[in-house]
Amino acid sequence: MNKKIIAIIAELIPLISAITSYTLIVAGPNTSFIRGVITVTMILAFFGFVFCIVGRKLAKEEKTVRVLGVFDCITPLLVIGFYVVAIFSFGL
């Protein structure tokens, strides 16, 4: 495989993980399997900056990788913001 394709796939992982976890949280069914998937996807979304670094190492000059890298750096902020909203909703 091409380094560019590998970098794009690596950079898409946190974005897809964030979307999946938010969708599963809002969807409603609460089984142990769904909770496990939410946990894994939230962890992958939280470490989005790691995927940004990996993508930049593989394909430095690609514009697609740069744009996805910006989104990867935003995903940890979204995860933190989600947990802040959850804490405030419980009234702590």
Side-chain angles (χ1 to χ4, degrees):
M1 289 179 96
N2 192 353
K3 284 186 177 183
K4 175 186 171 185
I5 295 171
I6 294 172
I8 290 173
I9 291 171
E11 298 241 356
L12 284 175
I13 291 172
L15 297 174
I16 294 170
S17 296
I19 293 168
T20 304
S21 61
Y22 293 142
T23 305
L24 289 174
I25 289 170
V26 173
N30 195 7
T31 63
S32 62
F33 176 72
I34 299 283
R35 280 182 274 166
V37 170
I38 290 171
T39 302
V40 170
T41 56
M42 276 293 197
I43 290 171
L44 287 174
F46 182 71
F47 289 111
F49 60 90
V50 174
F51 291 98
C52 176
I53 294 169
V54 170
R56 290 281 174 109
K57 292 283 184 184
L58 290 174
K60 295 178 184 174
E61 298 299 323
E62 294 296 326
K63 189 172 186 177
T64 308
V65 174
R66 286 183 168 185
V67 171
L68 289 173
V70 170
F71 289 129
D72 285 345
C73 291
I74 292 173
T75 56
L77 299 175
L78 294 175
V79 171
I80 292 169
F82 179 78
Y83 280 111
V84 167
V85 169
I87 289 170
F88 283 142
S89 71
F90 287 120
L92 297 177

